[in-house]
Amino acid sequence: MTPLDGANPPMTMQQAAERADAILDATFAAIRPPLCWTHRDSQAGTSTTDRRRAVTTVIAEERLGGLLCLVEQHWTRCGYTLLAISRDGRAAYFVTPDGFQLSVVVGWKGQPHFRVTTPPAEPSEVGPPTTPPNGPDHRHKEVPEPDQFDPFWSVPEAASTGGQECI
Amino acid sequence: MLPLPALRDLKLTELTEAADGWRKVSGRAHAAKRRVESEMLKPLRETQSGEAATAACERLAQVQQNFQYVYTECALIETVLTGLAAELESSRRTLTHALDDARQLGFTVLDDGGVGYPAAGTPDPGGSLPEGGVVRGRQPRFDVFGHKGDYPSGDNPNEERARALADTIWSALNEAGAINDQYKDAIEKLKAQQGLRLDSGTWADVSGDMAAVHTAAEDAMKSQIPIDKPPAGRLEWWNGLDQEAKTELLAAYPDVIGNMDGIPSAVRDQANREYLPILIAKLEAKAPTDAKARDQLAALREIDRKLTSGDVPPMFLLGVGDQGNGRAIVAFGQDPDTAKNVSTTVLGMNTSLDESFAKNDLKGAFDVASGARVLDPSSASIVWLGYDAPQNFDTVQSPSLAERAAPTLTSFMNGLVTTHQEGDPHVTVIGHSYGSLVVGKASQLPGHIPGADDIILVGSPGIGVDRAEDLGVPTGHVWVGAADNDIITYLPTKGAKSGAEVGGVLGLVAGGPIGAVGGAVAGGILGDFVSDPGQRKLYYGTDPADVAFGAIRFKSADGTSAPYTFGMVPSLEAHGNYFDPTANQLSADNIAAIVANQPGKVTVETPRGAHDLFAPGARLAQ
């Protein structure tokens, strides 16, 4: 398998993982008010790896649509392409021009899960992400339940100002 | 032959009391083993680190092993004594009845089994009765050497009765002798030396002991364990046993209980965990000269490592064995008996109990469980290696292995539904590659696949059924994943292409490099799948991804294609990634959504042949 086309020097799995972290950092930075989230364990393959984050802020059902909309706006603005969207609109898949796959899937108790899967890269050791989580670190837990209250995201009505709604 | 006094004076209660004693020792060792684990080892591991703690853990692990050994061996002794007592009792009963009859008739029974009878009958002219005598069982009626006394006079009516009794006594003694011999070896084997130190050799001995006891006590076992009952009957039997009987059965027959459909999953897991070191030791003994034993050993060691690693989601060993190409049934996630969602995956060609199974195939089940539990934590995912999958393209070209596997799969599924505590879990059956043919065949058995709510077919070469609606699940619950570049989902129709071409493609699956797609093979495939979109027939029937089949096709990554003279053709790379969330995130997430009973989370793909734009021929022509 050729890691990447073009004249660029081939990327290592570690570099790919760092780029995945950067994509996720930018995604969370685009969401206001900020969400609490934790890393989840990733599973490196032989040439690809992934980075996973689970939102630990409690998201009210009424806020989910707005949140997904923000994510979609940000990813589209970055030039990423929508690959697929689920029948209930609660799972979406994007791909970057350089072959990173992005997904946001709403799981149990309305918990959004983000994942970036790298394209094949030069095999290398892959270290853990360096970005500190926003909120408690549940890295080695199986599925950390959302338990962080936010005056905007956790309540159906906009009880505080500063919330961004997607039109 | 057992001497008559031995059987007559045998105190069976001595045997049963001894058996009771061993059962108690076994039970205590079992409890002790568990206490070492839960009250000593676990807290030590969790709270202490450093050299002293490591050393202590090692010593405690040895203590735990010692208790395990005592537990297993004592239970085997108990089993053998109980079996011996039960079988001897029947011989003894026959003998006692014969002795009673003899006493009533005024006959005497000698210690060698001879029956003496008094003079009786019509007096001769001299006034004397036909004289009495002694007869022995199974003696020739007409002695060629003409010994007196063995010759039937026919005058004394007692003689015939005495012969009948002597025959009965002879049979009872003979039978008891055979039982004695049968058990003698097993009991001999169970002797342990003073100061025994446990090592892998000891566990190999346990394996031998277990086999000897099982052979000796086979009849007793069959009367004890209802292996011929359906799963519901077995569960009823198991639930009716007291804890002591359960513990004893687990120790003596972990391999039987561990693989029995209808036994609760947690019990199967416990039995198989106890059987695993014994099976490993058995294979270690065979490994130096047996390649298959080496493969299975590597798999079992890896499974053993995973079982004790404490990874999440948790793991259940629902079956393990060394028969055929090896057996292993492994679940990840919540206990399958309490999970709301349970899935069972049947894998295809080249699957056997080897290191690749223990690493890659178990990871597939782990991934399905992890993915489903993001959507619903009450989910379990099982990989079922309960059949001999084809290992080469000669066997993969025949449906016979799938036909043989089908009833075994339905029995397992029946067991799952039977032991489920709520009684009606959401069940998904997944067939990959040749495994989809097994699922297809199972769906055609009477009653379809027990409990199945959803069926997923991935990387399928056809399933022997032409329409989704015939699989026995409601409309909209048959799903198919077919990567556009998965070569197996384009296998030519049987008969339409030469066997060499089919063999060539299948041969590649057997381990050929992806890049080695031969021109002829590729040409044949290419020609085949561009020809008739909308009604494509594959090796085992209609392509499940075709619109004519009627399943819902979910999105999957295309996978890589391989270069070919005039463009690109499908490859094998895409065939193996359906469960892998890194290599094929779309497919893995879709499978997880179906398993978690959240069909809304599925991303849907246009079936093949439904639209020219999506027809594979059109894609490849680009």
Side-chain angles (χ1 to χ4, degrees):
Chain A
M1 258 175 274
T2 35
L4 277 178
D5 293 332
N8 296 333
M11 184 171 55
T12 64
M13 284 167 69
Q14 172 61 32
Q15 287 166 329
E18 284 165 14
R19 163 109 171 92
D21 288 331
I23 291 172
L24 286 169
D25 286 347
T27 304
F28 277 93
I31 300 168
R32 294 281 151 197
L35 293 171
C36 291
W37 59 269
T38 176
H39 292 290
R40 291 193 63 212
D41 283 336
S42 72
Q43 291 186 357
T46 47
S47 67
T48 57
T49 186
D50 67 3
R51 294 297 209 203
R52 307 172 184 207
R53 292 182 189 183
V55 173
T56 48
T57 301
V58 178
I59 312 285
E61 171 65 27
E62 292 80 354
R63 298 284 189 212
L64 265 175
L67 173 59
L68 294 177
C69 206
L70 279 181
V71 174
E72 185 185 344
Q73 271 187 355
H74 169 70
W75 284 354
T76 311
R77 212 173 288 142
C78 292
Y80 308 155
T81 316
L82 177 71
L83 270 183
I85 191 155
S86 68
R87 302 196 291 186
D88 65 359
R90 289 288 187 262
Y93 299 82
F94 282 73
V95 64
T96 70
D98 50 351
F100 285 75
Q101 260 200 52
L102 285 55
S103 71
V104 56
V105 174
V106 178
W108 185 244
K109 294 191 175 173
Q111 180 179 37
H113 289 257
F114 289 82
R115 193 164 71 198
V116 176
T117 308
T118 73
E122 286 291 317
S124 73
E125 287 290 312
V126 180
T130 51
T131 315
N134 186 23
D137 191 349
H138 296 296
R139 192 168 308 177
H140 303 302
K141 276 201 195 156
E142 192 189 351
V143 185
E145 288 209 2
D147 55 1
Q148 305 293 306
F149 180 82
D150 181 273
F152 175 75
W153 292 114
S154 309
V155 291
E157 298 297 320
S160 73
T161 52
Q164 240 184 61
E165 272 298 347
C166 187
I167 316 293
Chain B
M1 289 271 291
L2 213 61
L4 188 142
L7 185 59
R8 183 190 60 208
D9 302 335
L10 177 70
K11 289 198 174 56
L12 284 171
T13 48
E14 282 180 357
L15 282 176
T16 51
E17 277 166 12
D20 258 0
W22 288 107
R23 179 189 301 132
K24 287 194 181 112
V25 177
S26 173
R28 286 201 190 134
H30 185 245
K33 182 202 149 200
R34 295 207 140 187
R35 288 187 63 185
V36 172
E37 170 64 32
S38 63
E39 292 172 25
M40 302 167 90
L41 260 172
K42 198 159 168 274
L44 199 57
R45 277 198 201 111
E46 280 167 6
T47 59
Q48 308 292 317
S49 59
E51 249 174 64
T54 311
C57 281
E58 270 172 25
R59 292 288 293 273
L60 282 172
Q62 184 66 43
V63 172
Q64 196 191 15
Q65 288 264 305
N66 292 349
F67 279 128
Q68 164 89 31
Y69 177 77
V70 173
Y71 156 59
T72 307
E73 288 286 291
C74 291
L76 288 175
I77 295 171
E78 192 276 331
T79 303
V80 94
L81 291 179
T82 306
L84 177 63
E87 294 198 38
L88 280 181
E89 199 194 344
S90 137
S91 310
R92 220 271 291 268
R93 203 179 305 126
T94 313
L95 177 67
T96 312
H97 284 159
L99 293 179
D100 285 350
D101 288 352
R103 199 176 310 119
Q104 280 176 15
L105 289 164
F107 296 176
T108 50
V109 179
L110 310 178
D111 277 358
D112 66 357
V115 177
Y117 57 96
T122 319
D124 65 7
S128 54
L129 292 171
E131 57 186 71
V134 174
V135 285
R136 289 180 175 80
R138 294 295 155 93
Q139 277 185 343
R141 298 292 159 109
F142 302 97
D143 191 308
V144 286
F145 301 107
H147 293 303
K148 196 172 182 299
D150 287 342
Y151 205 83
S153 68
D155 295 337
N156 188 336
N158 280 335
E159 187 185 342
E160 266 317 300
R161 286 182 189 157
R163 281 195 186 282
L165 279 177
D167 281 352
T168 307
I169 291 168
W170 186 89
S171 301
L173 295 177
N174 200 41
E175 191 183 74
I179 293 167
N180 192 50
D181 290 347
Q182 180 192 333
Y183 279 87
K184 205 169 78 186
D185 286 351
I187 293 175
E188 279 295 318
K189 273 193 148 217
L190 290 170
K191 284 185 184 159
Q193 281 161 6
Q194 289 266 324
L196 171 84
R197 276 191 66 84
L198 281 185
D199 53 27
S200 63
T202 325
W203 289 111
D205 288 345
V206 173
S207 160
D209 292 351
M210 195 171 273
V213 170
H214 287 194
T215 311
E218 196 187 350
D219 293 340
M221 188 268 275
K222 278 181 184 153
S223 65
Q224 208 181 351
I225 302 175
I227 40 179
D228 47 355
K229 278 193 185 164
R234 296 166 177 177
L235 180 63
E236 199 185 349
W237 162 77
W238 179 260
N239 286 340
L241 296 172
D242 60 26
Q243 196 47 52
E244 201 173 83
K246 286 177 180 171
T247 309
E248 174 210 330
L249 283 163
L250 279 173
Y253 301 106
D255 50 340
V256 180
I257 303 294
N259 288 287
M260 205 157 134
D261 302 329
I263 299 295
S265 296
V267 177
R268 287 176 75 152
D269 177 57
Q270 189 193 340
N272 289 316
R273 280 171 193 254
E274 277 163 17
Y275 179 50
L276 196 57
I278 300 169
L279 185 58
I280 285 176
K282 176 183 169 186
L283 291 168
E284 272 169 352
K286 287 167 81 176
T289 55
D290 184 339
K292 192 194 267 182
R294 277 197 294 279
D295 284 345
Q296 296 190 349
L297 187 58
L300 294 181
R301 282 184 177 146
E302 175 63 16
I303 288 174
D304 188 39
R305 192 192 64 76
K306 282 194 160 78
L307 279 172
T308 50
S309 72
D311 280 353
V312 286
M315 179 171 166
F316 293 79
L317 189 55
L318 301 181
V320 68
D322 61 345
Q323 60 269 54
N325 297 328
R327 300 283 183 269
I329 307 171
V330 179
F332 290 97
Q334 190 159 326
D335 178 343
D337 288 353
T338 61
K340 266 171 25 199
N341 307 293
V342 183
S343 73
T344 301
T345 304
V346 184
L347 298 170
M349 178 163 169
N350 262 354
T351 312
S352 66
L353 187 59
D354 58 11
E355 199 170 4
S356 157
F357 172 84
K359 289 196 165 148
N360 308 332
D361 296 335
L362 289 194
K363 181 181 177 294
F366 178 92
D367 286 340
V368 172
S370 303
R373 279 157 69 87
V374 164
L375 302 174
D376 187 343
S378 186
S379 302
S381 153
I382 299 167
V383 57
W384 182 83
L385 177 57
Y387 82 116
D388 278 336
Q391 300 297 307
N392 54 51
F393 65 80
D394 284 337
T395 43
V396 85
Q397 288 186 78
S398 154
S400 66
L401 287 172
E403 279 157 6
R404 218 174 299 160
T408 320
L409 175 63
T410 52
S411 164
F412 175 73
M413 296 307 295
N414 189 351
L416 265 188
V417 178
T418 304
T419 55
H420 198 274
Q421 289 171 16
E422 309 296 323
D424 188 22
H426 167 255
V427 173
T428 307
V429 182
I430 307 170
H432 177 249
S433 196
Y434 190 88
S436 69
L437 183 65
V438 176
V439 172
K441 294 289 178 194
S443 76
Q444 299 308 293
L445 294 176
H448 305 292
I449 302 175
D453 298 296
D454 283 277
I455 288 178
I456 304 177
L457 310 163
V458 281
S460 175
I463 64 161
V465 182
D466 287 334
R467 295 189 65 83
E469 65 192 36
D470 296 332
L471 294 185
V473 295
T475 310
H477 290 268
V478 179
W479 308 83
V480 60
D484 269 340
N485 285 321
D486 177 354
I487 198 167
I488 297 300
T489 68
Y490 296 110
L491 275 193
T493 313
K494 204 185 312 195
K497 298 285 162 260
S498 76
E501 284 169 5
V502 176
V505 176
L506 296 168
L508 283 171
V509 189
I514 292 158
V517 181
V521 179
I525 297 160
L526 204 62
D528 189 67
F529 71 71
V530 293
S531 59
D532 189 17
Q535 189 67 52
R536 291 177 339 98
K537 289 278 185 184
L538 293 183
Y539 201 76
Y540 287 115
T542 300
D543 175 5
D546 194 278
V547 67
F549 184 79
I552 303 175
R553 184 182 181 199
F554 56 76
K555 277 195 189 293
S556 159
D558 291 343
T560 55
S561 51
Y564 170 60
T565 319
F566 301 109
M568 303 293 275
V569 292
S571 74
L572 271 173
E573 181 267 343
H575 185 64
N577 289 337
Y578 291 100
F579 302 107
D580 185 340
T582 319
N584 193 343
Q585 191 186 357
L586 281 169
S587 171
D589 277 11
N590 283 325
I591 291 170
I594 298 161
V595 168
N597 201 16
Q598 298 198 9
K601 295 270 166 22
V602 173
T603 54
V604 177
E605 179 68 276
T606 313
R608 287 178 179 160
H611 193 290
D612 281 347
L613 205 66
F614 287 91
R619 293 181 67 94
L620 283 155
Q622 285 164 9

PDB file of all heavy atoms in Angstrom, chain A residues 140-161:
ATOM      1  N   HIS A 140      -9.212   5.161  29.912  1.00  0.00           N
ATOM      2  CA  HIS A 140      -9.206   3.698  29.875  1.00  0.00           C
ATOM      3  C   HIS A 140     -10.546   3.077  30.231  1.00  0.00           C
ATOM      4  O   HIS A 140     -10.674   1.872  30.327  1.00  0.00           O
ATOM      5  CB  HIS A 140      -8.096   3.167  30.777  1.00  0.00           C
ATOM      6  CG  HIS A 140      -6.761   3.704  30.378  1.00  0.00           C
ATOM      7  ND1 HIS A 140      -6.247   3.521  29.112  1.00  0.00           N
ATOM      8  CD2 HIS A 140      -5.860   4.467  31.045  1.00  0.00           C
ATOM      9  CE1 HIS A 140      -5.072   4.131  29.025  1.00  0.00           C
ATOM     10  NE2 HIS A 140      -4.824   4.717  30.182  1.00  0.00           N
ATOM     11  N   LYS A 141     -11.528   3.937  30.423  1.00  0.00           N
ATOM     12  CA  LYS A 141     -12.860   3.378  30.675  1.00  0.00           C
ATOM     13  C   LYS A 141     -13.476   2.953  29.371  1.00  0.00           C
ATOM     14  O   LYS A 141     -13.135   3.478  28.311  1.00  0.00           O
ATOM     15  CB  LYS A 141     -13.739   4.435  31.338  1.00  0.00           C
ATOM     16  CG  LYS A 141     -13.563   4.508  32.843  1.00  0.00           C
ATOM     17  CD  LYS A 141     -14.766   5.166  33.450  1.00  0.00           C
ATOM     18  CE  LYS A 141     -14.475   5.589  34.891  1.00  0.00           C
ATOM     19  NZ  LYS A 141     -15.338   6.677  35.295  1.00  0.00           N
ATOM     20  N   GLU A 142     -14.430   2.018  29.444  1.00  0.00           N
ATOM     21  CA  GLU A 142     -15.001   1.548  28.200  1.00  0.00           C
ATOM     22  C   GLU A 142     -15.837   2.638  27.535  1.00  0.00           C
ATOM     23  O   GLU A 142     -15.477   3.151  26.489  1.00  0.00           O
ATOM     24  CB  GLU A 142     -15.850   0.296  28.427  1.00  0.00           C
ATOM     25  CG  GLU A 142     -16.183  -0.354  27.090  1.00  0.00           C
ATOM     26  CD  GLU A 142     -17.201  -1.457  27.220  1.00  0.00           C
ATOM     27  OE1 GLU A 142     -17.531  -1.841  28.352  1.00  0.00           O
ATOM     28  OE2 GLU A 142     -17.681  -1.925  26.188  1.00  0.00           O
ATOM     29  N   VAL A 143     -16.976   3.002  28.108  1.00  0.00           N
ATOM     30  CA  VAL A 143     -17.753   4.121  27.575  1.00  0.00           C
ATOM     31  C   VAL A 143     -18.058   5.060  28.745  1.00  0.00           C
ATOM     32  O   VAL A 143     -18.894   4.750  29.584  1.00  0.00           O
ATOM     33  CB  VAL A 143     -19.072   3.654  26.926  1.00  0.00           C
ATOM     34  CG1 VAL A 143     -19.769   4.846  26.275  1.00  0.00           C
ATOM     35  CG2 VAL A 143     -18.822   2.572  25.888  1.00  0.00           C
ATOM     36  N   PRO A 144     -17.334   6.182  28.843  1.00  0.00           N
ATOM     37  CA  PRO A 144     -17.589   7.115  29.944  1.00  0.00           C
ATOM     38  C   PRO A 144     -18.946   7.785  29.758  1.00  0.00           C
ATOM     39  O   PRO A 144     -19.225   8.319  28.677  1.00  0.00           O
ATOM     40  CB  PRO A 144     -16.456   8.131  29.811  1.00  0.00           C
ATOM     41  CG  PRO A 144     -16.014   8.044  28.382  1.00  0.00           C
ATOM     42  CD  PRO A 144     -16.339   6.675  27.890  1.00  0.00           C
ATOM     43  N   GLU A 145     -19.774   7.727  30.766  1.00  0.00           N
ATOM     44  CA  GLU A 145     -21.112   8.314  30.621  1.00  0.00           C
ATOM     45  C   GLU A 145     -21.042   9.835  30.703  1.00  0.00           C
ATOM     46  O   GLU A 145     -20.232  10.383  31.450  1.00  0.00           O
ATOM     47  CB  GLU A 145     -22.025   7.794  31.736  1.00  0.00           C
ATOM     48  CG  GLU A 145     -22.397   6.356  31.524  1.00  0.00           C
ATOM     49  CD  GLU A 145     -23.750   6.032  32.119  1.00  0.00           C
ATOM     50  OE1 GLU A 145     -24.406   6.941  32.669  1.00  0.00           O
ATOM     51  OE2 GLU A 145     -24.149   4.861  32.025  1.00  0.00           O
ATOM     52  N   PRO A 146     -21.895  10.532  29.962  1.00  0.00           N
ATOM     53  CA  PRO A 146     -21.924  11.991  30.068  1.00  0.00           C
ATOM     54  C   PRO A 146     -22.465  12.382  31.452  1.00  0.00           C
ATOM     55  O   PRO A 146     -23.534  11.914  31.849  1.00  0.00           O
ATOM     56  CB  PRO A 146     -22.889  12.426  28.961  1.00  0.00           C
ATOM     57  CG  PRO A 146     -23.680  11.217  28.606  1.00  0.00           C
ATOM     58  CD  PRO A 146     -22.861  10.021  28.982  1.00  0.00           C
ATOM     59  N   ASP A 147     -21.676  13.174  32.196  1.00  0.00           N
ATOM     60  CA  ASP A 147     -22.120  13.532  33.555  1.00  0.00           C
ATOM     61  C   ASP A 147     -21.791  14.987  33.902  1.00  0.00           C
ATOM     62  O   ASP A 147     -21.951  15.406  35.041  1.00  0.00           O
ATOM     63  CB  ASP A 147     -21.485  12.574  34.582  1.00  0.00           C
ATOM     64  CG  ASP A 147     -19.975  12.550  34.482  1.00  0.00           C
ATOM     65  OD1 ASP A 147     -19.407  13.274  33.635  1.00  0.00           O
ATOM     66  OD2 ASP A 147     -19.344  11.809  35.256  1.00  0.00           O
ATOM     67  N   GLN A 148     -21.299  15.763  32.922  1.00  0.00           N
ATOM     68  CA  GLN A 148     -20.940  17.149  33.193  1.00  0.00           C
ATOM     69  C   GLN A 148     -22.100  18.062  32.769  1.00  0.00           C
ATOM     70  O   GLN A 148     -22.522  18.043  31.614  1.00  0.00           O
ATOM     71  CB  GLN A 148     -19.674  17.536  32.426  1.00  0.00           C
ATOM     72  CG  GLN A 148     -18.484  16.608  32.702  1.00  0.00           C
ATOM     73  CD  GLN A 148     -17.982  16.729  34.125  1.00  0.00           C
ATOM     74  OE1 GLN A 148     -17.668  17.823  34.587  1.00  0.00           O
ATOM     75  NE2 GLN A 148     -17.930  15.605  34.845  1.00  0.00           N
ATOM     76  N   PHE A 149     -22.538  18.854  33.732  1.00  0.00           N
ATOM     77  CA  PHE A 149     -23.678  19.733  33.438  1.00  0.00           C
ATOM     78  C   PHE A 149     -23.194  21.037  32.798  1.00  0.00           C
ATOM     79  O   PHE A 149     -22.189  21.608  33.194  1.00  0.00           O
ATOM     80  CB  PHE A 149     -24.442  20.041  34.729  1.00  0.00           C
ATOM     81  CG  PHE A 149     -25.628  20.939  34.510  1.00  0.00           C
ATOM     82  CD1 PHE A 149     -26.844  20.407  34.066  1.00  0.00           C
ATOM     83  CD2 PHE A 149     -25.527  22.314  34.711  1.00  0.00           C
ATOM     84  CE1 PHE A 149     -27.934  21.238  33.851  1.00  0.00           C
ATOM     85  CE2 PHE A 149     -26.623  23.139  34.492  1.00  0.00           C
ATOM     86  CZ  PHE A 149     -27.820  22.601  34.059  1.00  0.00           C
ATOM     87  N   ASP A 150     -23.899  21.477  31.805  1.00  0.00           N
ATOM     88  CA  ASP A 150     -23.609  22.768  31.174  1.00  0.00           C
ATOM     89  C   ASP A 150     -24.910  23.548  31.074  1.00  0.00           C
ATOM     90  O   ASP A 150     -25.925  23.009  30.627  1.00  0.00           O
ATOM     91  CB  ASP A 150     -23.023  22.558  29.775  1.00  0.00           C
ATOM     92  CG  ASP A 150     -22.693  23.880  29.097  1.00  0.00           C
ATOM     93  OD1 ASP A 150     -23.587  24.465  28.441  1.00  0.00           O
ATOM     94  OD2 ASP A 150     -21.542  24.346  29.248  1.00  0.00           O
ATOM     95  N   PRO A 151     -24.895  24.827  31.520  1.00  0.00           N
ATOM     96  CA  PRO A 151     -26.148  25.587  31.551  1.00  0.00           C
ATOM     97  C   PRO A 151     -26.750  25.777  30.160  1.00  0.00           C
ATOM     98  O   PRO A 151     -27.948  26.035  30.044  1.00  0.00           O
ATOM     99  CB  PRO A 151     -25.739  26.936  32.169  1.00  0.00           C
ATOM    100  CG  PRO A 151     -24.251  26.968  32.122  1.00  0.00           C
ATOM    101  CD  PRO A 151     -23.762  25.567  32.082  1.00  0.00           C
ATOM    102  N   PHE A 152     -25.946  25.675  29.118  1.00  0.00           N
ATOM    103  CA  PHE A 152     -26.536  25.777  27.784  1.00  0.00           C
ATOM    104  C   PHE A 152     -26.879  24.403  27.216  1.00  0.00           C
ATOM    105  O   PHE A 152     -28.030  24.094  26.901  1.00  0.00           O
ATOM    106  CB  PHE A 152     -25.592  26.510  26.823  1.00  0.00           C
ATOM    107  CG  PHE A 152     -26.123  26.520  25.409  1.00  0.00           C
ATOM    108  CD1 PHE A 152     -27.176  27.366  25.052  1.00  0.00           C
ATOM    109  CD2 PHE A 152     -25.618  25.659  24.445  1.00  0.00           C
ATOM    110  CE1 PHE A 152     -27.682  27.350  23.762  1.00  0.00           C
ATOM    111  CE2 PHE A 152     -26.132  25.653  23.153  1.00  0.00           C
ATOM    112  CZ  PHE A 152     -27.163  26.497  22.812  1.00  0.00           C
ATOM    113  N   TRP A 153     -25.870  23.532  27.093  1.00  0.00           N
ATOM    114  CA  TRP A 153     -26.061  22.259  26.389  1.00  0.00           C
ATOM    115  C   TRP A 153     -26.992  21.294  27.124  1.00  0.00           C
ATOM    116  O   TRP A 153     -27.677  20.491  26.507  1.00  0.00           O
ATOM    117  CB  TRP A 153     -24.714  21.559  26.149  1.00  0.00           C
ATOM    118  CG  TRP A 153     -23.836  22.288  25.179  1.00  0.00           C
ATOM    119  CD1 TRP A 153     -22.644  22.899  25.454  1.00  0.00           C
ATOM    120  CD2 TRP A 153     -24.077  22.495  23.782  1.00  0.00           C
ATOM    121  NE1 TRP A 153     -22.130  23.478  24.322  1.00  0.00           N
ATOM    122  CE2 TRP A 153     -22.989  23.249  23.274  1.00  0.00           C
ATOM    123  CE3 TRP A 153     -25.111  22.134  22.910  1.00  0.00           C
ATOM    124  CZ2 TRP A 153     -22.893  23.625  21.938  1.00  0.00           C
ATOM    125  CZ3 TRP A 153     -25.012  22.508  21.579  1.00  0.00           C
ATOM    126  CH2 TRP A 153     -23.927  23.248  21.102  1.00  0.00           C
ATOM    127  N   SER A 154     -27.006  21.400  28.444  1.00  0.00           N
ATOM    128  CA  SER A 154     -27.744  20.395  29.213  1.00  0.00           C
ATOM    129  C   SER A 154     -29.213  20.750  29.437  1.00  0.00           C
ATOM    130  O   SER A 154     -29.957  19.956  30.006  1.00  0.00           O
ATOM    131  CB  SER A 154     -27.067  20.171  30.574  1.00  0.00           C
ATOM    132  OG  SER A 154     -25.693  19.922  30.401  1.00  0.00           O
ATOM    133  N   VAL A 155     -29.611  21.949  29.042  1.00  0.00           N
ATOM    134  CA  VAL A 155     -31.020  22.314  29.260  1.00  0.00           C
ATOM    135  C   VAL A 155     -31.698  22.602  27.924  1.00  0.00           C
ATOM    136  O   VAL A 155     -31.093  23.172  27.018  1.00  0.00           O
ATOM    137  CB  VAL A 155     -31.163  23.539  30.194  1.00  0.00           C
ATOM    138  CG1 VAL A 155     -30.758  23.174  31.610  1.00  0.00           C
ATOM    139  CG2 VAL A 155     -30.348  24.710  29.688  1.00  0.00           C
ATOM    140  N   PRO A 156     -32.962  22.185  27.813  1.00  0.00           N
ATOM    141  CA  PRO A 156     -33.672  22.333  26.539  1.00  0.00           C
ATOM    142  C   PRO A 156     -33.786  23.787  26.078  1.00  0.00           C
ATOM    143  O   PRO A 156     -33.566  24.093  24.925  1.00  0.00           O
ATOM    144  CB  PRO A 156     -35.051  21.753  26.825  1.00  0.00           C
ATOM    145  CG  PRO A 156     -34.867  20.880  28.010  1.00  0.00           C
ATOM    146  CD  PRO A 156     -33.754  21.463  28.802  1.00  0.00           C
ATOM    147  N   GLU A 157     -34.107  24.717  27.006  1.00  0.00           N
ATOM    148  CA  GLU A 157     -34.262  26.117  26.625  1.00  0.00           C
ATOM    149  C   GLU A 157     -32.934  26.836  26.835  1.00  0.00           C
ATOM    150  O   GLU A 157     -32.185  26.515  27.746  1.00  0.00           O
ATOM    151  CB  GLU A 157     -35.347  26.788  27.488  1.00  0.00           C
ATOM    152  CG  GLU A 157     -36.716  26.175  27.311  1.00  0.00           C
ATOM    153  CD  GLU A 157     -37.235  26.324  25.884  1.00  0.00           C
ATOM    154  OE1 GLU A 157     -37.033  27.385  25.277  1.00  0.00           O
ATOM    155  OE2 GLU A 157     -37.831  25.349  25.382  1.00  0.00           O
ATOM    156  N   ALA A 158     -32.684  27.827  26.016  1.00  0.00           N
ATOM    157  CA  ALA A 158     -31.453  28.595  26.185  1.00  0.00           C
ATOM    158  C   ALA A 158     -31.533  29.400  27.470  1.00  0.00           C
ATOM    159  O   ALA A 158     -32.091  30.482  27.509  1.00  0.00           O
ATOM    160  CB  ALA A 158     -31.229  29.525  24.993  1.00  0.00           C
ATOM    161  N   ALA A 159     -31.020  28.813  28.564  1.00  0.00           N
ATOM    162  CA  ALA A 159     -31.134  29.459  29.865  1.00  0.00           C
ATOM    163  C   ALA A 159     -30.036  30.481  30.061  1.00  0.00           C
ATOM    164  O   ALA A 159     -30.118  31.336  30.914  1.00  0.00           O
ATOM    165  CB  ALA A 159     -31.070  28.406  30.972  1.00  0.00           C
ATOM    166  N   SER A 160     -28.984  30.385  29.303  1.00  0.00           N
ATOM    167  CA  SER A 160     -27.926  31.373  29.428  1.00  0.00           C
ATOM    168  C   SER A 160     -27.592  31.908  28.044  1.00  0.00           C
ATOM    169  O   SER A 160     -27.927  31.299  27.038  1.00  0.00           O
ATOM    170  CB  SER A 160     -26.687  30.738  30.050  1.00  0.00           C
ATOM    171  OG  SER A 160     -26.062  29.905  29.108  1.00  0.00           O
ATOM    172  N   THR A 161     -26.932  33.005  28.034  1.00  0.00           N
ATOM    173  CA  THR A 161     -26.578  33.589  26.743  1.00  0.00           C
ATOM    174  C   THR A 161     -25.273  32.987  26.254  1.00  0.00           C
ATOM    175  O   THR A 161     -24.580  32.278  26.967  1.00  0.00           O
ATOM    176  CB  THR A 161     -26.421  35.117  26.863  1.00  0.00           C
ATOM    177  OG1 THR A 161     -25.530  35.362  27.942  1.00  0.00           O
ATOM    178  CG2 THR A 161     -27.757  35.771  27.107  1.00  0.00           C
TER     179      THR A 161
END
